[in-house]
Amino acid sequence: MASVAADSEFDPVLSGVDRKRYPILGHLDPYGDTVLNRLQVQSLLEELSEVRSNPEIVSAEFADTLVMLCHECLQRPHRFLRFAGE
């Protein structure tokens, strides 16, 4: 099981990420727990590819880390991507 600490600047909820445009990313709350299934992880990958160049939403380095974790999650069935809040 891989894990990573979140970028201290990563807060899509407080930074006002458009939840309609980015339904997965826009609901990631660093203060609450979130669990994504396989289909949601695939959607997160698509959203990250769109916002990767926007440092107001996510730093490129942290986006790369999330992409790596998403791909690891998708390697086998019955895996989930968990975000554990503070």
Side-chain angles (χ1 to χ4, degrees):
M1 172 181 3
S3 66
V4 65
D7 183 332
S8 63
E9 300 296 316
F10 181 70
D11 193 339
V13 172
L14 289 180
S15 65
V17 171
D18 184 349
R19 292 181 184 180
K20 289 185 181 185
R21 186 171 179 188
Y22 305 109
I24 303 296
L25 191 61
H27 286 89
L28 294 180
D29 179 4
Y31 304 102
D33 296 342
T34 305
V35 178
L36 301 179
N37 65 31
R38 179 178 203 81
L39 294 175
Q40 292 166 320
V41 169
Q42 291 170 337
S43 295
L44 178 59
L45 277 171
E46 293 170 13
E47 292 176 23
L48 286 169
S49 70
E50 285 186 40
V51 301
R52 189 181 181 289
S53 61
N54 186 344
E56 292 179 13
I57 297 176
V58 63
S59 71
E61 182 180 333
F62 188 55
D64 290 344
T65 301
L66 287 177
V67 167
M68 184 232 11
L69 288 174
C70 287
H71 285 297
E72 185 171 328
C73 181
L74 295 173
Q75 285 181 356
R76 292 191 206 154
H78 310 296
R79 285 190 174 178
F80 297 90
L81 184 59
R82 288 183 201 277
F83 292 85
E86 287 186 23

